[in-house]
Amino acid sequence: MTSLSAARPSNQQKNATFAKKITVDKTKDGKSTDLVELSLDCGSKACFLTYGARIGSLCGADSQNVVLSLDTLPAYESDKSYQGASIGRVCNRIKDGQLTIGNNTYQLSQNEGTTCTHGGLVGFDKHVWQIESLGHENSKAHVVFSTFSPDGDQGFPGDIKATVKYELEWKADNACTILHITYEAESLADVPTVVNLTNHVYWNLSGKQDQGEDIWSHSLCLGTKEYLETDTKLLPTGRILQAESKSYLDFTEERLLKGPPKEESGIRNGYDHFFVFDKTGPKSSLEWMSTVRHAESKRTLKLYSDQPGVQFYTGTFLQASTMFPYHQYQGFCLEPSGFIDAVHHPNFPSILLRPKETRTQKMQFHLACSS
């Protein structure tokens, strides 16, 4: 069992811009797995795993990791919380694991009761992705991963190729590190399918996640009051609601999270809500969605995306174990994507991918520290 911590970004090469690959371990079924490190001369660094095309760590210019990171490949293989993973073919939930396109109904993999969640039992988070390109120039460094999903994979129709480009960039004028994430899904089939990709990285801007620090000392601002109403299985009813001003779901004015809202003492026991930014579908350009701040560390995270909504999740289902060191509420996720269970709600923007069509989904995380 190889430790990933030795391969993760360190301060030894702080003043260098580079992109490099390190072979770190093999999966349980014998597939070789690589770790890619991207580094900028400002001190910002990030690492990514080919297993699940995952974000393994991310440090801003102050060299402090602000995402949840696991120490070994077996820990990632046994993880059920999708740490830093690329999610597909369809992120979030599909009711009853069933999909109907035209006259054809498909039974999908069911991995949360009868629900197909985050792509099924063997979603993209469990693929060993290939490295298509790796490079750096000036104040940028990047890696591109790809994976192939054949017809029938987890029940979904049609062959597709998926890619993700991670690019790390330093913006001196804003003194911030930008992580660009671009997903692309290309249909290689003669039949339509559905695609909705996102990333499931967990953030903790305190930088003290390995010391047990939770996320309730963060503050959040969101650019919308609208959200999807959901049932007890966290599946949408089809209704788009608007949060009442100053209520626990109104983040249009920045406020401290403080703790799980008393209104969500049931299955959520925290925040696990899809906030709606555009009822018509993806936007033509990236727009601001949210800002998260951590006052003590003076770190700020801003999210921009072209997607019509974002899932805000505060880690209710995180459970510490022998290989997994994190407890409930030690990380939060902001997952831009198409709507949850869009395949069952004609009033939601479509996630249909037509034959030979290519879809792109983009997001940017801007990390700054005003130390």
Side-chain angles (χ1 to χ4, degrees):
M1 185 184 301
T2 303
S3 172
L4 300 178
S5 58
R8 284 208 181 96
S10 68
N11 293 328
Q12 296 176 353
Q13 294 175 289
K14 184 172 181 179
N15 298 315
T17 296
F18 62 83
K20 68 178 181 181
K21 179 188 80 169
I22 306 166
T23 299
V24 289
D25 213 338
K26 290 186 177 181
T27 60
K28 288 180 289 189
D29 55 359
K31 294 178 182 177
S32 182
T33 302
D34 298 323
L35 180 144
V36 169
E37 180 181 351
L38 304 182
S39 176
L40 305 179
D41 58 12
C42 65
S44 302
K45 299 175 186 289
C47 76
F48 308 89
L49 283 168
T50 53
Y51 180 72
R54 294 170 187 258
I55 300 171
S57 65
L58 177 64
C59 305
D62 62 356
S63 301
Q64 181 62 56
N65 182 30
V66 292
V67 305
L68 304 194
S69 302
L70 303 183
D71 197 44
T72 64
L73 180 59
Y76 279 108
E77 287 188 276
S78 63
D79 167 48
K80 296 180 180 179
S81 58
Y82 306 93
Q83 293 290 321
S86 292
I87 305 297
R89 285 188 189 191
V90 175
C91 66
N92 227 304
R93 294 169 173 86
I94 297 178
K95 184 179 181 180
D96 296 328
Q98 287 193 344
L99 167 66
T100 298
I101 303 176
N103 296 322
N104 298 308
T105 297
Y106 303 91
Q107 181 59 57
L108 309 177
S109 170
Q110 296 167 309
N111 58 326
E112 189 180 71
T114 59
T115 303
C116 178
T117 299
H118 287 332
L121 284 167
V122 188
F124 287 0
D125 60 296
K126 294 181 175 61
H127 287 207
V128 177
W129 295 52
Q130 304 302 307
I131 298 174
E132 286 210 346
S133 70
L134 182 65
H136 64 90
E137 61 178 2
N138 301 324
S139 58
K140 297 180 182 180
H142 79 271
V143 61
V144 178
F145 298 113
S146 68
T147 192
F148 173 71
S149 178
D151 177 48
D153 185 9
Q154 307 307 298
F156 291 97
D159 296 348
I160 70 165
K161 177 185 178 182
T163 63
V164 57
K165 180 179 181 180
Y166 292 112
E167 183 173 72
L168 198 64
E169 179 183 14
W170 172 250
K171 280 288 189 183
D173 51 348
N174 297 322
C176 75
T177 302
I178 302 176
L179 177 62
H180 303 261
I181 305 177
T182 303
Y183 285 103
E184 191 170 274
E186 178 187 2
S187 167
L188 305 175
D190 294 322
V191 295
T193 188
V194 288
V195 171
N196 190 16
L197 308 178
T198 194
N199 189 277
H200 211 290
V201 63
Y202 288 79
W203 302 89
N204 188 321
L205 300 183
S206 74
K208 297 179 181 178
Q209 59 272 25
D210 294 335
Q211 300 170 38
E213 184 93 0
D214 65 34
I215 48 88
W216 298 122
S217 58
H218 293 63
S219 61
L220 171 67
C221 183
L222 282 168
T224 183
K225 287 185 178 183
E226 293 189 315
Y227 65 97
L228 296 186
E229 180 185 56
T230 53
D231 62 18
T232 56
K233 292 184 177 181
L234 303 182
L235 288 160
T237 64
R239 294 209 305 163
I240 298 172
L241 305 181
Q242 180 161 304
E244 294 182 12
S245 293
K246 311 297 183 181
S247 70
Y248 76 101
L249 288 174
D250 179 14
F251 289 99
T252 52
E253 292 184 9
E254 184 175 324
R255 61 181 174 85
L256 198 64
L257 293 176
K258 292 185 180 179
K262 64 181 184 301
E263 295 89 346
E264 295 292 353
S265 59
I267 185 172
R268 282 192 181 93
N269 199 20
Y271 290 97
D272 197 359
H273 296 77
F274 189 89
F275 288 89
V276 174
F277 282 76
D278 196 324
K279 302 182 188 72
T280 62
K283 299 177 282 290
S284 58
S285 61
L286 277 72
E287 297 179 7
W288 173 79
M289 281 188 156
S290 66
T291 298
V292 183
R293 299 184 201 276
H294 186 257
E296 182 181 348
S297 68
K298 299 181 180 179
R299 295 189 185 97
T300 301
L301 183 72
K302 294 183 179 182
L303 169 63
Y304 298 81
S305 180
D306 63 356
Q307 291 304 286
V310 63
Q311 187 84 14
F312 175 54
Y313 172 53
T314 51
T316 297
F317 302 112
L318 295 179
Q319 289 184 321
S321 64
T322 304
M323 289 191 290
F324 187 80
Y326 302 112
H327 295 271
Q328 189 178 46
Y329 310 133
Q330 279 192 253
F332 68 87
C333 299
L334 288 164
E335 307 160 58
S337 72
F339 285 24
I340 309 170
D341 197 29
V343 299
H344 289 124
H345 299 281
N347 59 315
F348 290 179
S350 174
I351 59 168
L352 189 72
L353 185 71
R354 294 177 177 82
K356 312 304 180 183
E357 186 178 62
T358 297
R359 174 175 301 137
T360 301
Q361 296 176 263
K362 297 180 179 181
M363 60 199 79
Q364 292 178 0
F365 292 98
H366 293 221
L367 175 65
C369 181
S370 54
S371 56

